[in-house]
Amino acid sequence: MEHSKVLRKMIIMSDKGKPLTETDSLMVSERFGTDNVTIHRADLLLALRNALKPGTIVLNKRCVDFVQEQNGVTLSFEDGETISSDAVVAADGINSIFRRKLVPGSTPRYAGYTCWRAVIPVNDIVIDDLVATKTWGPSGRFGIVPLAGGKIYWFACVKAKARDSRIAKYGIIDLLSIFHDFHRPIPQIIQATDQESLIHNDILDIKPIQHYAFGRIALLGDAAHATTPNLGQGAGQTMEDAYVLARCLETAGDLVMAFKEYERTRLGRTRKIIKMSNQIGRIAQLENKALILLRNFEIKFLLQRT
């Protein structure tokens, strides 16, 4: 919480700045007893690392293969070292070597749009720092998320072909040409961003798989259920995984049973998140003006159905 920013609401808007739908975060806080906060990923990782005993984390180790046996798992690393373990929690991301070997064909799939992101200081930009916004327009969509310490995280998504080398070269001037007609302060935020601060990625997810537990190996986070970022649930579902797995390890009779209970608990929820996020992404990236008018008119009902 020391590094977080508490949000009061989240608003989806049209490119002209008209609110289409609002989510009241305060109501969520009152119902569940916890706040909806934003936090920079680096600050979150630092807080988590500081909660661990010194020496817990070993860096600069790349796992390149593994062999599971009846009583454990042997890991092979890029530097030639091998390690034997009772079990493995594979949290090695969307390109997980564990998932690829355990679930052949579970390769990342392109969502149909590409994204630029940056974190910048607020400075003279006028925003409501208690509100996160997403703006849906015919040429793309733009998100503004207040962070602690007087900073803004923003993202911009446009439809594109996968691995489009031309679009990959886009910079601040190109993004400004796409979003120059969007409501304030979107053009001002783009103009205030240094080219060096810009990060670009195609948006990917994974088609839901049938298992997260494979004997003494459990997949966790993006390795198990990478999702598009439309619900802001990538890191959120990973933390839910960790919490559930920890409880299963405390209560189950052995590691294999704990992993199976973790799988049973998490499969349905994460499948639903992947599906919902994929649907919202397609709705948000509409370019046809007639369909956009219809979407904007019915958006509350659309979101309720998804």
Side-chain angles (χ1 to χ4, degrees), residues 12 14 19 31 68 70 82 120 123-124 129 134 136 143 150 162 174 180 194 199 223 234 271 282:
I12 296 177
S14 73
R31 179 177 177 184
Q68 180 168 199
Q70 184 176 354
T82 60
I120 65 170
N123 291 335
D124 297 327
D129 67 353
K134 295 180 181 180
W136 296 357
D174 302 290
H180 71 280
D194 295 328
I199 298 172
R271 283 175 183 167
R282 291 199 301 269

Side-chain angles (χ1 to χ4, degrees), residues 1-7 36-49 117-121 145-154 196-199 235-236 239:
M1 293 302 293
E2 293 176 2
H3 301 284
S4 298
K5 183 73 176 177
V6 178
L7 292 184
N36 183 22
V37 302
T38 63
I39 184 170
H40 193 290
R41 185 69 63 93
D43 292 332
L44 173 62
L45 292 175
L46 180 62
L48 294 172
R49 189 194 70 179
R117 298 170 288 146
V119 174
I120 65 170
V145 182
L147 297 174
K151 295 181 179 180
I152 299 170
Y153 162 71
W154 67 261
E196 294 74 23
S197 302
L198 209 56
I199 298 172
M239 288 187 279

Side-chain angles (χ1 to χ4, degrees), residues 83-101:
I83 295 175
S84 295
S85 175
D86 292 335
V88 172
V89 177
D92 54 336
I94 192 170
N95 293 308
S96 168
I97 66 164
F98 289 87
R99 189 194 67 253
R100 287 181 169 182
K101 188 171 180 178

Side-chain angles (χ1 to χ4, degrees), residues 63-84:
C63 183
V64 294
D65 199 8
F66 63 95
V67 176
Q68 180 168 199
E69 299 164 344
Q70 184 176 354
N71 297 318
V73 185
T74 299
L75 307 177
S76 300
F77 292 88
E78 193 174 51
D79 60 8
E81 184 179 9
T82 60
I83 295 175
S84 295

